[in-house]
Amino acid sequence: MTSPTYDTAFVDELIADVEAYLHRCNVLTDFAESQVEERVRLARLVNRLASDRDGLQVTIGELELQVDSLDSRLRALESSTAVRLIRVPRKLVRMVRRTRTK
């Protein structure tokens, strides 16, 4: 009885298959790492945009308060006696023009 011998071609093919599998694993690992890095970058970008948005909302709120304040001041100014007296000549001129065109 002879001792069993291994098939060199089979072993070489098996080694080549394992090396190809390891290469695919390395490629997939590199891809996964790049995806993780991209997700981290995008998460940081989203956080920065969210903080920018929060800052802009605060600024918008402040501007709305200023507009409301200016609007109330303008209404108070328009209802003042001095402004109404200034507008009287204009109103008279309009009335005169209307009566002449009729």
Side-chain angles (χ1 to χ4, degrees):
M1 200 160 159
T2 62
S3 63
T5 61
Y6 64 90
D7 185 5
T8 309
F10 174 75
V11 172
D12 290 340
E13 185 179 327
L14 188 59
I15 290 172
D17 289 344
V18 169
E19 287 176 350
Y21 176 77
L22 289 175
H23 178 70
R24 284 193 296 267
C25 288
N26 287 335
V27 169
L28 289 174
T29 302
D30 292 342
F31 176 74
E33 287 174 351
S34 69
Q35 292 299 306
V36 168
E37 290 171 0
E38 184 65 14
R39 284 186 149 214
V40 167
R41 186 185 72 80
L42 290 174
R44 287 181 182 151
L45 182 62
V46 166
N47 288 337
R48 186 168 28 129
L49 290 174
S51 67
D52 289 349
R53 182 199 63 199
D54 294 342
L56 289 173
Q57 285 177 337
V58 168
T59 303
I60 288 170
E62 292 170 354
L63 290 174
E64 286 175 343
L65 290 175
Q66 288 179 0
V67 166
D68 291 341
S69 172
L70 291 173
D71 187 47
S72 64
R73 288 175 60 190
L74 184 59
R75 286 182 188 172
L77 182 66
E78 287 177 344
S79 64
S80 72
T81 307
V83 171
R84 289 192 308 207
L85 287 175
I86 290 172
R87 290 184 177 165
V88 168
R90 288 185 192 165
K91 290 180 181 178
L92 288 174
V93 169
R94 283 190 217 143
M95 286 175 47
V96 169
R97 286 184 183 163
R98 286 183 195 156
T99 57
R100 285 186 184 172
T101 58
K102 289 183 181 179

Short mmCIF file of all heavy atoms in Angstrom, two decimals, residues 38-93:
data_model
loop_
_atom_site.label_atom_id
_atom_site.label_comp_id
_atom_site.label_asym_id
_atom_site.label_seq_id
_atom_site.Cartn_x
_atom_site.Cartn_y
_atom_site.Cartn_z
N GLU A 38 -17.10 58.80 4.25
CA GLU A 38 -18.05 59.68 3.57
C GLU A 38 -19.25 59.98 4.47
O GLU A 38 -19.72 61.10 4.54
CB GLU A 38 -18.51 59.05 2.26
CG GLU A 38 -19.41 59.92 1.42
CD GLU A 38 -18.73 61.18 0.90
OE1 GLU A 38 -17.50 61.29 0.95
OE2 GLU A 38 -19.45 62.08 0.44
N ARG A 39 -19.74 58.97 5.18
CA ARG A 39 -20.86 59.19 6.09
C ARG A 39 -20.48 60.12 7.22
O ARG A 39 -21.27 60.97 7.63
CB ARG A 39 -21.37 57.87 6.65
CG ARG A 39 -22.17 57.10 5.66
CD ARG A 39 -22.78 55.88 6.29
NE ARG A 39 -24.03 55.64 5.60
CZ ARG A 39 -25.10 55.16 6.16
NH1 ARG A 39 -25.09 54.83 7.43
NH2 ARG A 39 -26.19 54.98 5.47
N VAL A 40 -19.27 59.98 7.73
CA VAL A 40 -18.80 60.87 8.79
C VAL A 40 -18.72 62.30 8.26
O VAL A 40 -19.14 63.26 8.92
CB VAL A 40 -17.44 60.39 9.34
CG1 VAL A 40 -16.78 61.45 10.21
CG2 VAL A 40 -17.61 59.09 10.11
N ARG A 41 -18.19 62.45 7.05
CA ARG A 41 -18.09 63.79 6.44
C ARG A 41 -19.47 64.40 6.26
O ARG A 41 -19.70 65.56 6.58
CB ARG A 41 -17.37 63.70 5.10
CG ARG A 41 -17.09 65.04 4.45
CD ARG A 41 -16.49 64.88 3.06
NE ARG A 41 -17.45 64.41 2.09
CZ ARG A 41 -18.36 65.20 1.48
NH1 ARG A 41 -18.41 66.48 1.76
NH2 ARG A 41 -19.19 64.70 0.59
N LEU A 42 -20.42 63.60 5.75
CA LEU A 42 -21.77 64.10 5.54
C LEU A 42 -22.46 64.43 6.86
O LEU A 42 -23.20 65.41 6.95
CB LEU A 42 -22.58 63.08 4.74
CG LEU A 42 -22.18 62.92 3.28
CD1 LEU A 42 -22.96 61.78 2.64
CD2 LEU A 42 -22.39 64.20 2.51
N ALA A 43 -22.22 63.62 7.89
CA ALA A 43 -22.82 63.90 9.20
C ALA A 43 -22.29 65.21 9.76
O ALA A 43 -23.05 66.01 10.32
CB ALA A 43 -22.53 62.75 10.16
N ARG A 44 -20.99 65.46 9.59
CA ARG A 44 -20.42 66.73 10.05
C ARG A 44 -21.02 67.89 9.27
O ARG A 44 -21.32 68.94 9.84
CB ARG A 44 -18.90 66.71 9.89
CG ARG A 44 -18.22 65.84 10.90
CD ARG A 44 -16.72 65.85 10.73
NE ARG A 44 -16.08 64.95 11.69
CZ ARG A 44 -14.96 64.33 11.49
NH1 ARG A 44 -14.30 64.50 10.36
NH2 ARG A 44 -14.45 63.53 12.41
N LEU A 45 -21.19 67.70 7.98
CA LEU A 45 -21.78 68.75 7.14
C LEU A 45 -23.22 69.03 7.56
O LEU A 45 -23.63 70.19 7.67
CB LEU A 45 -21.72 68.34 5.67
CG LEU A 45 -22.24 69.33 4.65
CD1 LEU A 45 -21.42 70.61 4.68
CD2 LEU A 45 -22.20 68.72 3.27
N VAL A 46 -23.97 67.99 7.82
CA VAL A 46 -25.36 68.16 8.27
C VAL A 46 -25.39 68.89 9.61
O VAL A 46 -26.22 69.80 9.81
CB VAL A 46 -26.08 66.79 8.36
CG1 VAL A 46 -27.37 66.89 9.13
CG2 VAL A 46 -26.33 66.24 6.97
N ASN A 47 -24.51 68.54 10.52
CA ASN A 47 -24.46 69.22 11.82
C ASN A 47 -24.12 70.70 11.64
O ASN A 47 -24.70 71.56 12.31
CB ASN A 47 -23.46 68.55 12.75
CG ASN A 47 -23.95 67.22 13.25
OD1 ASN A 47 -25.14 66.96 13.28
ND2 ASN A 47 -23.02 66.37 13.65
N ARG A 48 -23.18 70.99 10.76
CA ARG A 48 -22.80 72.39 10.52
C ARG A 48 -23.96 73.16 9.91
O ARG A 48 -24.26 74.28 10.29
CB ARG A 48 -21.58 72.47 9.62
CG ARG A 48 -21.06 73.89 9.47
CD ARG A 48 -19.71 73.96 8.82
NE ARG A 48 -19.42 72.87 7.92
CZ ARG A 48 -18.99 73.02 6.68
NH1 ARG A 48 -18.76 74.21 6.20
NH2 ARG A 48 -18.75 71.98 5.93
N LEU A 49 -24.65 72.53 8.95
CA LEU A 49 -25.80 73.19 8.34
C LEU A 49 -26.92 73.41 9.35
O LEU A 49 -27.59 74.45 9.33
CB LEU A 49 -26.31 72.36 7.15
CG LEU A 49 -25.40 72.34 5.92
CD1 LEU A 49 -25.95 71.37 4.88
CD2 LEU A 49 -25.28 73.72 5.33
N ALA A 50 -27.12 72.45 10.24
CA ALA A 50 -28.15 72.61 11.27
C ALA A 50 -27.82 73.75 12.21
O ALA A 50 -28.70 74.54 12.58
CB ALA A 50 -28.32 71.30 12.05
N SER A 51 -26.55 73.88 12.58
CA SER A 51 -26.17 74.99 13.46
C SER A 51 -26.28 76.32 12.72
O SER A 51 -26.70 77.33 13.30
CB SER A 51 -24.77 74.79 14.02
OG SER A 51 -23.80 74.88 13.00
N ASP A 52 -25.93 76.34 11.43
CA ASP A 52 -26.11 77.55 10.63
C ASP A 52 -27.59 77.93 10.56
O ASP A 52 -27.95 79.10 10.67
CB ASP A 52 -25.56 77.37 9.22
CG ASP A 52 -24.03 77.30 9.17
OD1 ASP A 52 -23.40 77.60 10.20
OD2 ASP A 52 -23.49 76.95 8.11
N ARG A 53 -28.44 76.92 10.36
CA ARG A 53 -29.88 77.16 10.29
C ARG A 53 -30.38 77.74 11.60
O ARG A 53 -31.16 78.69 11.61
CB ARG A 53 -30.62 75.87 9.98
CG ARG A 53 -32.14 76.06 9.85
CD ARG A 53 -32.90 74.79 10.00
NE ARG A 53 -32.66 74.29 11.34
CZ ARG A 53 -32.86 73.05 11.71
NH1 ARG A 53 -33.28 72.17 10.87
NH2 ARG A 53 -32.63 72.67 12.94
N ASP A 54 -29.93 77.18 12.72
CA ASP A 54 -30.36 77.69 14.02
C ASP A 54 -29.93 79.15 14.20
O ASP A 54 -30.71 79.98 14.67
CB ASP A 54 -29.79 76.83 15.14
CG ASP A 54 -30.36 75.42 15.14
OD1 ASP A 54 -31.42 75.21 14.52
OD2 ASP A 54 -29.73 74.53 15.76
N GLY A 55 -28.71 79.45 13.79
CA GLY A 55 -28.24 80.83 13.89
C GLY A 55 -29.04 81.77 13.01
O GLY A 55 -29.38 82.89 13.41
N LEU A 56 -29.37 81.30 11.80
CA LEU A 56 -30.16 82.13 10.89
C LEU A 56 -31.58 82.33 11.42
O LEU A 56 -32.16 83.40 11.25
CB LEU A 56 -30.19 81.51 9.50
CG LEU A 56 -28.86 81.58 8.74
CD1 LEU A 56 -28.96 80.78 7.44
CD2 LEU A 56 -28.48 83.01 8.45
N GLN A 57 -32.15 81.31 12.06
CA GLN A 57 -33.49 81.46 12.62
C GLN A 57 -33.49 82.48 13.74
O GLN A 57 -34.44 83.26 13.87
CB GLN A 57 -34.01 80.11 13.11
CG GLN A 57 -34.44 79.20 11.97
CD GLN A 57 -34.90 77.83 12.45
OE1 GLN A 57 -34.55 77.38 13.54
NE2 GLN A 57 -35.68 77.16 11.63
N VAL A 58 -32.44 82.50 14.54
CA VAL A 58 -32.33 83.52 15.58
C VAL A 58 -32.24 84.90 14.96
O VAL A 58 -32.92 85.84 15.39
CB VAL A 58 -31.10 83.23 16.49
CG1 VAL A 58 -30.79 84.41 17.38
CG2 VAL A 58 -31.33 81.98 17.31
N THR A 59 -31.43 85.03 13.92
CA THR A 59 -31.30 86.32 13.23
C THR A 59 -32.63 86.75 12.62
O THR A 59 -33.01 87.92 12.70
CB THR A 59 -30.22 86.22 12.14
OG1 THR A 59 -28.99 85.80 12.72
CG2 THR A 59 -30.02 87.54 11.43
N ILE A 60 -33.34 85.82 12.01
CA ILE A 60 -34.65 86.13 11.43
C ILE A 60 -35.61 86.59 12.51
O ILE A 60 -36.37 87.56 12.32
CB ILE A 60 -35.20 84.91 10.66
CG1 ILE A 60 -34.42 84.71 9.37
CG2 ILE A 60 -36.69 85.08 10.35
CD1 ILE A 60 -34.72 83.41 8.66
N GLY A 61 -35.59 85.93 13.65
CA GLY A 61 -36.45 86.34 14.76
C GLY A 61 -36.14 87.76 15.22
O GLY A 61 -37.05 88.57 15.47
N GLU A 62 -34.86 88.07 15.31
CA GLU A 62 -34.46 89.42 15.71
C GLU A 62 -34.90 90.45 14.68
O GLU A 62 -35.38 91.53 15.02
CB GLU A 62 -32.95 89.48 15.91
CG GLU A 62 -32.44 88.68 17.09
CD GLU A 62 -30.93 88.55 17.13
OE1 GLU A 62 -30.26 89.00 16.17
OE2 GLU A 62 -30.42 88.00 18.12
N LEU A 63 -34.74 90.11 13.40
CA LEU A 63 -35.16 91.03 12.33
C LEU A 63 -36.67 91.22 12.33
O LEU A 63 -37.16 92.33 12.08
CB LEU A 63 -34.68 90.53 10.98
CG LEU A 63 -33.17 90.60 10.74
CD1 LEU A 63 -32.80 89.94 9.42
CD2 LEU A 63 -32.70 92.04 10.75
N GLU A 64 -37.42 90.16 12.61
CA GLU A 64 -38.88 90.29 12.68
C GLU A 64 -39.28 91.23 13.81
O GLU A 64 -40.20 92.03 13.64
CB GLU A 64 -39.53 88.92 12.86
CG GLU A 64 -39.53 88.07 11.60
CD GLU A 64 -40.05 86.67 11.84
OE1 GLU A 64 -40.13 86.22 13.02
OE2 GLU A 64 -40.39 86.00 10.85
N LEU A 65 -38.59 91.12 14.94
CA LEU A 65 -38.87 92.04 16.04
C LEU A 65 -38.56 93.47 15.65
O LEU A 65 -39.32 94.40 15.98
CB LEU A 65 -38.06 91.65 17.29
CG LEU A 65 -38.47 90.35 17.98
CD1 LEU A 65 -37.50 90.02 19.12
CD2 LEU A 65 -39.88 90.47 18.51
N GLN A 66 -37.47 93.69 14.94
CA GLN A 66 -37.12 95.04 14.49
C GLN A 66 -38.16 95.57 13.51
O GLN A 66 -38.54 96.74 13.58
CB GLN A 66 -35.73 95.05 13.85
CG GLN A 66 -34.60 94.88 14.84
CD GLN A 66 -33.24 94.87 14.14
OE1 GLN A 66 -33.14 94.98 12.94
NE2 GLN A 66 -32.19 94.73 14.94
N VAL A 67 -38.61 94.71 12.59
CA VAL A 67 -39.63 95.13 11.62
C VAL A 67 -40.92 95.48 12.35
O VAL A 67 -41.56 96.49 12.03
CB VAL A 67 -39.86 94.03 10.56
CG1 VAL A 67 -41.12 94.28 9.76
CG2 VAL A 67 -38.66 93.93 9.63
N ASP A 68 -41.32 94.68 13.31
CA ASP A 68 -42.53 94.98 14.09
C ASP A 68 -42.39 96.31 14.83
O ASP A 68 -43.33 97.11 14.86
CB ASP A 68 -42.83 93.85 15.08
CG ASP A 68 -43.26 92.57 14.39
OD1 ASP A 68 -43.67 92.63 13.20
OD2 ASP A 68 -43.19 91.50 15.03
N SER A 69 -41.22 96.52 15.40
CA SER A 69 -40.98 97.77 16.11
C SER A 69 -41.04 98.96 15.16
O SER A 69 -41.68 99.99 15.45
CB SER A 69 -39.62 97.73 16.80
OG SER A 69 -39.28 98.98 17.34
N LEU A 70 -40.38 98.82 14.00
CA LEU A 70 -40.40 99.90 13.02
C LEU A 70 -41.81 100.13 12.48
O LEU A 70 -42.22 101.27 12.24
CB LEU A 70 -39.43 99.61 11.88
CG LEU A 70 -37.95 99.67 12.25
CD1 LEU A 70 -37.11 99.18 11.08
CD2 LEU A 70 -37.54 101.07 12.66
N ASP A 71 -42.56 99.04 12.30
CA ASP A 71 -43.93 99.17 11.81
C ASP A 71 -44.80 99.92 12.80
O ASP A 71 -45.57 100.80 12.42
CB ASP A 71 -44.51 97.77 11.54
CG ASP A 71 -45.86 97.83 10.88
OD1 ASP A 71 -46.01 98.60 9.90
OD2 ASP A 71 -46.78 97.13 11.35
N SER A 72 -44.67 99.61 14.07
CA SER A 72 -45.47 100.32 15.08
C SER A 72 -45.05 101.78 15.16
O SER A 72 -45.90 102.67 15.32
CB SER A 72 -45.36 99.64 16.44
OG SER A 72 -44.04 99.70 16.92
N ARG A 73 -43.75 102.05 15.04
CA ARG A 73 -43.29 103.45 15.04
C ARG A 73 -43.83 104.19 13.83
O ARG A 73 -44.23 105.36 13.93
CB ARG A 73 -41.78 103.50 15.07
CG ARG A 73 -41.18 103.09 16.42
CD ARG A 73 -39.69 103.02 16.41
NE ARG A 73 -39.09 104.30 16.07
CZ ARG A 73 -37.80 104.46 15.80
NH1 ARG A 73 -36.99 103.43 15.83
NH2 ARG A 73 -37.33 105.65 15.50
N LEU A 74 -43.85 103.54 12.67
CA LEU A 74 -44.37 104.17 11.46
C LEU A 74 -45.86 104.46 11.58
O LEU A 74 -46.33 105.52 11.18
CB LEU A 74 -44.09 103.28 10.25
CG LEU A 74 -44.46 103.82 8.88
CD1 LEU A 74 -43.72 105.11 8.60
CD2 LEU A 74 -44.17 102.80 7.81
N ARG A 75 -46.62 103.52 12.13
CA ARG A 75 -48.05 103.74 12.33
C ARG A 75 -48.29 104.90 13.29
O ARG A 75 -49.18 105.72 13.07
CB ARG A 75 -48.70 102.47 12.88
CG ARG A 75 -48.85 101.41 11.85
CD ARG A 75 -49.55 100.20 12.40
NE ARG A 75 -49.50 99.12 11.43
CZ ARG A 75 -49.89 97.91 11.67
NH1 ARG A 75 -50.33 97.59 12.88
NH2 ARG A 75 -49.82 96.98 10.75
N ALA A 76 -47.48 104.95 14.35
CA ALA A 76 -47.62 106.06 15.29
C ALA A 76 -47.28 107.38 14.61
O ALA A 76 -47.95 108.40 14.82
CB ALA A 76 -46.72 105.84 16.50
N LEU A 77 -46.27 107.37 13.77
CA LEU A 77 -45.87 108.58 13.06
C LEU A 77 -46.94 109.02 12.08
O LEU A 77 -47.27 110.20 11.98
CB LEU A 77 -44.54 108.34 12.33
CG LEU A 77 -43.97 109.53 11.58
CD1 LEU A 77 -43.56 110.62 12.57
CD2 LEU A 77 -42.76 109.09 10.76
N GLU A 78 -47.53 108.06 11.36
CA GLU A 78 -48.56 108.40 10.38
C GLU A 78 -49.81 108.95 11.04
O GLU A 78 -50.53 109.75 10.45
CB GLU A 78 -48.91 107.17 9.53
CG GLU A 78 -47.84 106.82 8.52
CD GLU A 78 -48.18 105.57 7.74
OE1 GLU A 78 -49.08 104.81 8.16
OE2 GLU A 78 -47.53 105.35 6.70
N SER A 79 -50.09 108.54 12.25
CA SER A 79 -51.28 109.05 12.94
C SER A 79 -51.00 110.34 13.70
O SER A 79 -51.91 110.92 14.29
CB SER A 79 -51.83 107.99 13.89
OG SER A 79 -50.89 107.73 14.91
N SER A 80 -49.77 110.81 13.67
CA SER A 80 -49.45 112.05 14.39
C SER A 80 -50.05 113.25 13.68
O SER A 80 -50.27 113.25 12.47
CB SER A 80 -47.94 112.21 14.54
OG SER A 80 -47.36 112.53 13.30
N THR A 81 -50.29 114.29 14.43
CA THR A 81 -50.89 115.51 13.89
C THR A 81 -49.98 116.17 12.87
O THR A 81 -50.45 116.67 11.83
CB THR A 81 -51.18 116.49 15.04
OG1 THR A 81 -51.94 115.81 16.04
CG2 THR A 81 -51.94 117.70 14.57
N ALA A 82 -48.70 116.18 13.12
CA ALA A 82 -47.76 116.85 12.20
C ALA A 82 -47.80 116.21 10.81
O ALA A 82 -47.84 116.91 9.79
CB ALA A 82 -46.35 116.79 12.77
N VAL A 83 -47.81 114.92 10.75
CA VAL A 83 -47.83 114.24 9.46
C VAL A 83 -49.17 114.47 8.76
O VAL A 83 -49.22 114.68 7.55
CB VAL A 83 -47.54 112.73 9.63
CG1 VAL A 83 -47.77 111.96 8.35
CG2 VAL A 83 -46.11 112.54 10.12
N ARG A 84 -50.25 114.44 9.52
CA ARG A 84 -51.56 114.69 8.90
C ARG A 84 -51.64 116.10 8.34
O ARG A 84 -52.21 116.33 7.27
CB ARG A 84 -52.67 114.43 9.90
CG ARG A 84 -52.83 112.94 10.20
CD ARG A 84 -54.08 112.66 10.94
NE ARG A 84 -54.18 113.52 12.13
CZ ARG A 84 -54.83 113.22 13.23
NH1 ARG A 84 -55.46 112.08 13.32
NH2 ARG A 84 -54.88 114.05 14.24
N LEU A 85 -51.05 117.07 9.05
CA LEU A 85 -51.06 118.44 8.55
C LEU A 85 -50.20 118.60 7.30
O LEU A 85 -50.53 119.38 6.41
CB LEU A 85 -50.57 119.40 9.65
CG LEU A 85 -51.54 119.64 10.79
CD1 LEU A 85 -50.88 120.50 11.87
CD2 LEU A 85 -52.82 120.29 10.30
N ILE A 86 -49.11 117.86 7.24
CA ILE A 86 -48.26 117.91 6.05
C ILE A 86 -49.00 117.37 4.83
O ILE A 86 -48.83 117.86 3.72
CB ILE A 86 -46.95 117.13 6.29
CG1 ILE A 86 -46.08 117.89 7.30
CG2 ILE A 86 -46.19 116.91 5.00
CD1 ILE A 86 -44.86 117.11 7.76
N ARG A 87 -49.87 116.42 5.03
CA ARG A 87 -50.58 115.79 3.91
C ARG A 87 -51.78 116.61 3.43
O ARG A 87 -52.30 116.37 2.36
CB ARG A 87 -51.04 114.40 4.31
CG ARG A 87 -49.89 113.44 4.46
CD ARG A 87 -50.38 112.07 4.75
NE ARG A 87 -49.26 111.15 4.83
CZ ARG A 87 -49.34 109.95 5.34
NH1 ARG A 87 -50.49 109.51 5.81
NH2 ARG A 87 -48.28 109.16 5.38
N VAL A 88 -52.21 117.56 4.22
CA VAL A 88 -53.39 118.35 3.84
C VAL A 88 -53.20 119.04 2.49
O VAL A 88 -54.10 118.96 1.64
CB VAL A 88 -53.75 119.36 4.97
CG1 VAL A 88 -54.78 120.37 4.48
CG2 VAL A 88 -54.25 118.62 6.18
N PRO A 89 -52.08 119.72 2.23
CA PRO A 89 -51.95 120.37 0.90
C PRO A 89 -52.03 119.38 -0.26
O PRO A 89 -52.63 119.67 -1.29
CB PRO A 89 -50.58 121.04 0.96
CG PRO A 89 -50.30 121.22 2.41
CD PRO A 89 -50.98 120.08 3.09
N ARG A 90 -51.47 118.22 -0.10
CA ARG A 90 -51.55 117.22 -1.17
C ARG A 90 -52.99 116.81 -1.42
O ARG A 90 -53.42 116.65 -2.55
CB ARG A 90 -50.72 115.97 -0.81
CG ARG A 90 -49.25 116.18 -0.85
CD ARG A 90 -48.56 114.86 -0.60
NE ARG A 90 -47.15 115.05 -0.36
CZ ARG A 90 -46.36 114.16 0.16
NH1 ARG A 90 -46.84 112.97 0.50
NH2 ARG A 90 -45.08 114.40 0.35
N LYS A 91 -53.71 116.59 -0.33
CA LYS A 91 -55.11 116.18 -0.47
C LYS A 91 -55.92 117.29 -1.14
O LYS A 91 -56.79 117.01 -1.97
CB LYS A 91 -55.70 115.84 0.90
CG LYS A 91 -55.14 114.57 1.48
CD LYS A 91 -55.76 114.26 2.83
CE LYS A 91 -55.17 113.00 3.42
NZ LYS A 91 -55.71 112.70 4.75
N LEU A 92 -55.63 118.53 -0.80
CA LEU A 92 -56.35 119.65 -1.42
C LEU A 92 -56.03 119.71 -2.92
O LEU A 92 -56.93 119.94 -3.74
CB LEU A 92 -55.97 120.96 -0.74
CG LEU A 92 -56.55 121.18 0.66
CD1 LEU A 92 -55.99 122.46 1.27
CD2 LEU A 92 -58.06 121.22 0.62
N VAL A 93 -54.78 119.54 -3.29
CA VAL A 93 -54.40 119.56 -4.70
C VAL A 93 -55.11 118.44 -5.44
O VAL A 93 -55.62 118.63 -6.56
CB VAL A 93 -52.86 119.46 -4.85
CG1 VAL A 93 -52.48 119.21 -6.30
CG2 VAL A 93 -52.20 120.71 -4.31
#
